[in-house]
Amino acid sequence: QKEVEQDPGPLSVPEGAIVSLNCTYSNSAFQYFMWYRQYSRKGPELLMYTYSSGNKEDGRFTAQVDKSSKYISLFIRDSQPSDSATYLCAMIRNSGNTPLVFGKGTRLSVIA
Amino acid sequence: EADIYQTPRYLVIGTGKKITLECSQTMGHDKMYWYQQDPGMELHLIHYSYGVNSTEKGDLSSESTVSRIRTEHFPLTLESARPSHTSQYLCASSGDRGRNQPQHFGDGTRLSIL
């Protein structure tokens, strides 16, 4: 079993829809959680960075962390065609010098 | 805004050539990373460094080597390129040691070996 599981999709939604992207993880040592957005032929871009359980909102994006269930989510409200990209979750253990562990990424298409 | 630069963006080259992919960051980050990513596939960590003269191999075995002589510079070298090395190579950096800061990525080098 991989440490971080993420459904690769693809996920196709109409413009204006609410999108829910999810990751589960198996290691309770993960304490810091990130969501990245990657457009085709570009590097991943940091969208959200959270530590504690609960919600963090930034514009149309909300990151949710449930450490008791080992489950994180990214919600996109009023989705736009420009949101079409691959979304990767990532997390770090709370033990100092360890690299990020990434999910496989979910490919999202928002159709106008 | 993260400032991390990779050159070249694209490289098409013949088998057997020695290749160096450049990565530089202007943020003074201690930690730097190299990932390999095939189109539409997941990221694989191949090398990382937590400071000058420190390098480690990542999760994915790679025939490449890296060096970290200066904080801002983390080049990746393939001594003899082969078609199996065709991929996208992404460089990243993150903040101070022990603070678990998120990584910031460059836009990658797309490498094609003929």
Side-chain angles (χ1 to χ4, degrees):
Chain A
Q1 182 190 5
K2 293 185 73 106
E3 284 190 292
V4 179
E5 298 281 357
Q6 183 177 10
D7 186 338
L11 181 62
S12 185
V13 302
E15 183 175 1
I18 297 173
V19 176
S20 173
L21 305 168
N22 311 296
C23 287
T24 59
Y25 61 97
S26 56
N27 191 336
S28 59
F30 288 126
Q31 296 292 319
Y32 301 84
F33 305 92
M34 283 134 275
W35 284 95
Y36 286 84
R37 176 176 63 196
Q38 186 176 22
Y39 291 115
S40 180
R41 298 179 183 275
K42 302 284 279 185
E45 168 195 11
L46 180 67
L47 274 179
M48 303 287 280
Y49 175 52
T50 59
Y51 169 69
S52 57
S53 284
N55 294 351
K56 180 177 181 180
E57 189 173 318
D58 184 1
R60 295 185 296 110
F61 298 90
T62 299
Q64 188 175 83
V65 174
D66 182 347
K67 290 185 179 178
S68 62
S69 301
K70 299 189 182 66
Y71 189 87
I72 67 171
S73 298
L74 178 71
F75 297 97
I76 307 173
R77 291 185 299 281
D78 187 24
S79 56
Q80 303 294 310
S82 59
D83 295 327
S84 298
T86 297
Y87 291 81
L88 301 103
C89 65
M91 48 200 78
I92 313 175
R93 298 176 189 84
N94 191 28
S95 58
N97 293 327
T98 55
L100 281 180
V101 179
F102 283 89
K104 286 187 173 184
T106 299
R107 188 176 301 175
L108 171 67
S109 294
V110 181
I111 310 301
Chain B
E1 188 72 24
D3 293 314
I4 181 162
Y5 306 101
Q6 291 187 244
T7 57
R9 286 294 316 278
Y10 303 93
L11 179 61
V12 181
I13 199 165
T15 299
K17 301 293 186 182
K18 180 178 179 178
I19 300 166
T20 296
L21 307 184
E22 301 289 349
C23 177
S24 295
Q25 49 94 6
T26 59
M27 298 165 284
H29 285 168
D30 282 334
K31 301 177 184 178
M32 296 189 75
Y33 311 83
W34 277 103
Y35 291 86
Q36 187 173 341
Q37 186 183 36
D38 292 326
M41 303 298 285
E42 62 189 298
L43 290 164
H44 291 287
L45 180 66
I46 50 175
H47 297 283
Y48 61 100
S49 167
Y50 286 154
V52 170
N53 294 325
S54 153
T55 62
E56 302 286 344
K57 289 189 180 295
D59 303 324
L60 182 69
S61 174
S62 173
E63 295 169 343
S64 59
T65 59
V66 292
S67 63
R68 189 87 184 278
I69 298 171
R70 303 197 319 262
T71 297
E72 64 271 21
H73 194 217
F74 191 39
L76 180 145
T77 298
L78 284 161
E79 289 293 333
S80 179
R82 297 189 296 169
S84 61
H85 297 141
T86 294
S87 189
Q88 174 162 261
Y89 293 85
L90 288 159
C91 181
S93 71
S94 63
D96 294 341
R97 188 185 295 268
R99 290 181 58 198
N100 292 322
Q101 294 297 303
Q103 293 177 12
H104 299 277
F105 284 82
D107 279 335
T109 294
R110 190 172 292 270
L111 179 64
S112 295
I113 309 300
L114 305 177

